Structure formats: C-alpha cells, structure tokens
Amino acid sequence: MAAAVCDGYLHNAADLWAAAGAGRCAGGLPSVSEVVLHAYLRWGHQAAERLEGNFAFAIWDARTDELLLGRDRLGIKPLSYFPLPHRVVFASEVAALAAHPLVTPEIDETGLCALLTQLRSPGRGALRDVYEVPAGCTVQFARERVILRRYWTLEARPHTFGLEETLKQVRELLVDAISRELRGVAPAVLLSGGLDSSALTGLVASSSSAPPRTFTVMFGDTAAAVPDRPFAREVVLRWGCEHHEVAVRPQELSAPVILSAVLAAKDHPSPFGDKNITPFLFSRRVAELVPAILSGEAADVMFGGVDGAAEGMREPTMFPWIARSRRFGMEYGIGTGLFDDALLRSVDIAGYLDRLYREAKAEVPHLAGSAAIDRAAREVDYLNMTRLAEQTVNHSERLGAAAGLQIRFPFADHRLFSYLYNVPRRLKRFDGREKSLLRAIAKDLVPPSVLARAKVPYPITYDARYKASLVARLRTLLDDATAPVRPLIDLRRAASVVEDNRLLDRGGWLGRADVEMVLQLDDWLRWLRVRVNI
C-alpha cells in the first residue's frame, strides 16, 4: 500500500505513533521510518508539519502511484533528486545520484558558480538537472505533475515585549529546545570554550539531573593563537562535567583515506580544508564514546554574531559574508583566488552572485511601516538564517554523520528561529555588543572569562607538514595534463604558490583556502566523473 524511508530523528515519535492510532509496536519503540509512514497514512501530505526533529523522508504510495519527498524545517538533513520522464532518482547524497546509471553528472556555468561561491538558489543543486528538496518543503511526484508545497517558513510578526520579558522567553525556548534534543540520549556537549558552547553546557547542566559529558578538540602546539583549553576547563570545573580532550594529530590531516572520507562527507568541494578534516576526525573519536551530542552551532546566525557590527546597520547590497570577503580582495568569496579570471568573467560569477542576492532579498518578510534600520537588520538576519546557516550547521551535520556521530543543534530550533527573527536589533544589541541576548542569558551559566572572551573562528593547524602536503598535491596536479580542474585555473598563479610557499599564508589561511578549493574540486570532479560543460 505504502512504504517509507527516513534519515534523521524525531522528538515526538512516541506522540505521533499514538496520535496516528498505530497501536503497539512489536519490539518496543518503532523506527523513524515506521512513524513517518503511519503519520502519512493518518494525515496524508500534511504529516510533514507534524514531524518535529531533523529529518528527510521519501514515501511511495502504491494506491496513487505517487512519491512524496520531505525535509525538515531548516533543511539540516539533505535530500536531492534527479527527475526523469515518468520516474525520479532521489538520494541523501549527491554522489549517490551521480553514481546512478540513468544520471549523467555534469556542471555548466551555473553549476561552477554554485560550487565556487558555496551558494545556490533554494531547491537547486550544483549538478545540472539535480534539485534539492528545499528546507521546510515537500515535493510530490504524481503521474503528470510535480507539486512543491512549503509547510514552514520565517514570518514577520510584531515584537511587543521589552528586554526582560524577551530574555525570559528566549531562555524558555532554549531550555525547551534542549530538552527535546536530549530525548532518548544522555547529555553530551561539544565544548569549545566559546560563548555558544559554554552557554549550552550551562543550560544543559542546570536543567538536567546530571552535568553533561563534554568534549574539546586539541591540537597541541599547532593550535590557533587563542587556545580553547583554559576556557573549556573553567566551564568544566564550574559544572563538574566529565570532560574529554580529543587530540587530532597533524599527520592525520594529510592522509589520503581521510581526505577522501571528508570530501565524501561534505558531498561538495569546499575551500575550508583542515576546518573540515579536524571536525571529522574529532567526531569520529567522540562517536566511540557517545552516539549523539549537542552543538552550539547556529547561535551566531540566531543571535546576531555575524552581522557586521563594525559597519553599522546599513541596507545590505550583497550577502554579508561575500561583502566581507571582498575587503580582503576575494571578489567572489573564499577559495576563488587561483581560478582563471577570464573564465570567471565568462561564466558571469558576479552576475550569479547578484542574481542570488536579489532572489534572497525578495523573499524577506517585512512588517509594514518598519524603519529603515529595522528593515536592514531583518534582511541581514534572513540572509544569515536561510543562506549562511547551510555553510555552518549543515557542514557540521554532514561531517558528524559520516563519522558515525549524530550531532544535534538546539540553537537551530525553528521556534527559536521564528522568535529571534522578530526581535528588533535594539534588543539583540542592547549593550552594544554582538549576541547581547545570549550573553545576558549566560551570565549565571558561564565563567566571567568566557563572557569577556573575544570571538575566534574554528582553529586551524599551523603545522608545517600539512602546508607542505598542500604544496606537494598542488605540484602533482599541475604536472597532470589530465587533471579535470586544470582548464579552470590560472596555471601561472598556481605555479607561483608551488614556488613560494609563503603565499599559502596570505590573510592567515586565505592563501591555503585557494589551494584547498582547487584540490577539492579536482578530486570531486574525478570522483563523481563529472562532465564539465562550460
């Protein structure tokens, strides 16, 4: 009659099972797929909006010869598809689609722009004719039609509360999100010692019967300039957590088998190199001790930690992170510095970015009559919540899942997203700092040193062996006349990096990002056997 498959987890599985009238399940708690199937049989296409959690599902209804694909509200779990006459191929991973005998993986000008900028229109993939189920949507494939239905989105609503009531409600929403994410799992937190993960640890410890187990990644002498260890230790001592410091050895970062595993996990090339490799190795070791863990990811985009406070709040004219990269000479974003300028002009990557920005800006829900500063702030929040979050939360989810670790994101809760989207900027920055609301909530939860700590990015390795391996791989690529990425890059500029390794250190790590993107794109094109049609 009907069959379902589902990737992910549901907070309300038991409630849905009972409400669907499915009866007792032999062997205890039913699987997520069973719950989704019975919800569909009970409520039809409206079942998606009753699901709470992070999920992607596919349901085949033999009664009507229809396929229904669905994705969670924030699109944390991936789901792509390739439509064909009278059929459709779908998969969680783009690589799985590309491997199907009916699919010919190919990128055109638009696909190359998508890969290099790390940005796509909602519902579009980087490969030609590959689509994604947009966040908060279902896609129904009937005999003669395809129906896209949105069941959740951000909405503009008036915010009528003052600071104290806002703080109270945000904290209540956070505690509720944490309690739902902890259903069925023991409390554990990825603790960096920054504000987000430290506040999360404090909220978990203060609202649970026992302090969480905490995990911090260590790099030894190759860590970033501001090490996490002392801050994390203060949090651990405050709450009495069972703490684990997980060491990542620099020599692991260049192992070919690890590089291949990370590329497969991400499913697309990226310029972030060891910022991908380290979390993967970290997650793999954490997974040996716990099956699921909470992460503070998404707090930045939720609480205004990445909205360019130093610039003031002017109406944006481009995605804020692209605008910031341009100040460092990266016109199209991080990792594009070694690609051929004439090629980038011919595929109109500047026009691509402008088009996607205008599409995103047109989606922004506003309140009628709102002041210009509030409209600008709302636009920045929307761009961060709907576009940048894919490069942060989804990045962590995919790396964790590939390593066997289920990472859960209490800050990426759709109720919290909806609420904070409508909190005005004057409250989000009531004390003139970024993430003012979260700092106020965390005041009784974290040590003063954490409250005062300046924001630092995810640490990178400064190990000379890792940089040497990048240069060696780039040299090998340049010597390979069959390398698929070769026609896309500026060969002289790439060769200059091989000749002068100091260019890797441009902007701290931005020179490395240029090399990482070239190497990853080449590996991805080979692995998926992608035809470049530009």
Side-chain angles (χ1 to χ4, degrees):
M1 182 170 64
V5 291
C6 184
D7 175 35
Y9 60 92
L10 299 174
H11 303 136
N12 60 338
D15 294 339
L16 280 174
W17 187 259
R24 298 186 63 179
C25 180
L29 192 66
S31 69
V32 175
S33 296
E34 289 176 290
V35 174
V36 169
L37 176 59
H38 281 84
Y40 170 79
L41 294 175
R42 173 68 175 82
W43 295 292
H45 295 172
Q46 285 69 46
E49 56 205 66
R50 295 176 178 266
L51 306 180
E52 299 282 350
N54 294 332
F55 56 83
F57 67 79
I59 300 171
W60 170 251
D61 193 333
R63 301 169 300 181
T64 56
D65 285 341
E66 292 180 356
L67 175 70
L68 183 69
L69 303 181
R71 202 169 172 206
D72 62 75
R73 290 163 181 80
L74 300 182
I76 293 174
K77 286 292 183 181
L79 183 56
S80 298
Y81 63 93
F82 186 92
L84 293 160
H86 312 298
R87 68 188 75 185
V88 61
V89 181
F90 64 89
S92 293
E93 297 179 356
V94 172
L97 285 182
H100 194 280
L102 294 179
V103 177
T104 300
E106 179 181 338
I107 59 166
D108 54 15
E109 291 89 345
T110 299
L112 180 62
C113 290
L115 292 170
L116 296 185
T117 63
Q118 311 286 299
L119 281 162
R120 302 184 301 280
S121 294
R124 296 303 301 265
L127 290 177
R128 187 169 184 167
D129 296 328
V130 167
Y131 298 83
E132 297 174 342
V133 178
C137 290
T138 60
V139 182
Q140 175 192 358
F141 299 88
R143 288 188 180 89
E144 302 295 334
R145 54 187 181 154
V146 177
I147 303 170
L148 174 68
R149 175 177 171 267
R150 180 169 294 281
Y151 68 87
W152 183 85
T153 190
L154 288 169
E155 297 177 356
R157 303 188 185 96
H159 187 81
T160 58
F161 302 106
L163 178 59
E164 292 305 316
E165 183 61 24
T166 298
L167 285 169
K168 178 176 178 289
Q169 292 186 1
V170 171
R171 182 159 180 158
E172 288 174 352
L173 285 167
L174 267 173
V175 171
D176 181 61
I178 289 168
S179 69
R180 281 185 278 110
E181 294 290 1
L182 286 177
R183 286 180 187 170
V185 298
V189 179
L190 296 172
L191 175 62
S192 71
L195 175 63
D196 307 341
S197 63
S198 300
L200 177 58
T201 300
L203 285 166
V204 172
S206 62
S207 58
S208 303
S209 58
R213 300 173 79 176
T214 49
F215 298 81
T216 301
V217 66
M218 289 288 106
F219 295 84
D221 294 336
T222 63
V226 182
D228 290 333
R229 173 182 277 177
F231 299 97
R233 282 185 169 177
E234 285 193 62
V235 175
V236 168
L237 287 173
R238 183 185 184 99
W239 293 108
C241 304
E242 178 189 324
H243 189 55
H244 303 263
E245 293 183 345
V246 180
V248 172
R249 298 183 299 275
Q251 57 268 33
E252 296 179 275
L253 302 178
S254 303
V257 66
I258 298 298
L259 296 176
S260 297
V262 170
L263 179 60
K266 290 285 288 188
D267 217 20
H268 285 102
S270 87
F272 300 113
D274 63 302
K275 286 175 176 277
N276 292 334
I277 303 166
T278 300
F280 173 77
L281 293 169
F282 181 38
S283 294
R284 196 162 67 172
R285 291 186 183 132
V286 172
E288 296 172 358
L289 299 174
V290 296
I293 199 163
L294 303 189
S295 166
E297 201 72 73
D300 269 340
V301 299
M302 298 278 293
F303 286 95
V306 291
D307 66 358
E311 313 160 15
M313 185 46 64
R314 298 187 297 270
E315 182 179 2
T317 57
M318 177 48 61
F319 296 108
W321 55 98
I322 297 293
R324 286 192 290 273
S325 76
R326 287 176 173 172
R327 297 195 195 104
F328 293 93
M330 298 173 291
E331 184 65 19
Y332 312 117
I334 294 172
T336 57
L338 294 184
F339 289 88
D340 183 71
D341 291 333
L343 171 72
L344 297 180
R345 288 192 297 269
S346 72
V347 301
D348 194 18
I349 192 169
Y352 174 86
L353 279 170
D354 182 64
R355 183 171 70 254
L356 261 62
Y357 168 72
R358 287 186 283 104
E359 286 178 5
K361 187 172 180 178
E363 297 172 11
V364 180
H366 287 288
L367 287 175
S370 56
I373 189 172
D374 291 327
R375 288 181 65 86
R378 194 181 285 276
E379 287 175 3
V380 170
D381 281 349
Y382 187 89
L383 296 175
N384 287 334
M385 288 179 172
T386 64
R387 300 308 195 269
L388 183 60
E390 183 175 358
Q391 299 179 30
T392 55
V393 177
N394 298 21
H395 151 92
S396 296
E397 191 281 332
R398 283 155 178 70
L399 291 171
L405 181 66
Q406 186 181 89
I407 302 180
R408 301 187 175 192
F409 308 93
F411 288 111
D413 178 84
H414 68 93
R415 296 173 184 84
L416 195 58
F417 259 54
S418 294
Y419 187 85
L420 285 170
Y421 179 65
N422 289 292
V423 173
R425 177 179 169 80
R426 61 181 174 80
L427 292 181
K428 284 185 177 177
R429 290 183 172 273
F430 70 85
D431 62 357
R433 296 188 68 181
E434 82 284 355
K435 297 195 281 193
S436 301
L437 291 175
L438 186 57
R439 289 182 193 278
I441 290 169
K443 189 165 57 174
D444 64 338
L445 298 171
V446 304
S449 62
V450 173
L451 283 178
R453 186 185 184 189
K455 178 177 173 57
V456 295
Y458 191 87
I460 63 172
T461 181
Y462 292 96
D463 185 74
R465 288 168 293 183
Y466 180 70
K467 292 194 286 187
S469 75
L470 288 180
V471 172
R473 291 168 61 202
L474 182 59
R475 181 185 295 112
T476 299
L477 185 150
L478 292 176
D479 289 340
D480 183 0
T482 67
V485 80
R486 215 168 180 274
L488 308 178
I489 64 176
D490 185 319
L491 296 175
R492 287 190 299 177
R493 203 181 304 159
S496 69
V497 177
V498 173
E499 295 163 6
D500 183 359
N501 298 359
R502 292 173 298 178
L503 294 175
L504 288 175
D505 300 321
R506 178 180 60 85
W509 63 278
L510 298 177
R512 277 166 50 176
D514 289 339
V515 176
E516 301 273 16
M517 189 63 193
V518 167
L519 295 174
Q520 283 216 8
L521 181 56
D522 191 71
D523 287 344
W524 186 77
L525 293 171
R526 292 176 190 262
W527 175 42
L528 270 61
R529 297 177 180 158
V530 178
R531 179 188 302 165
V532 180
N533 186 11
I534 296 174

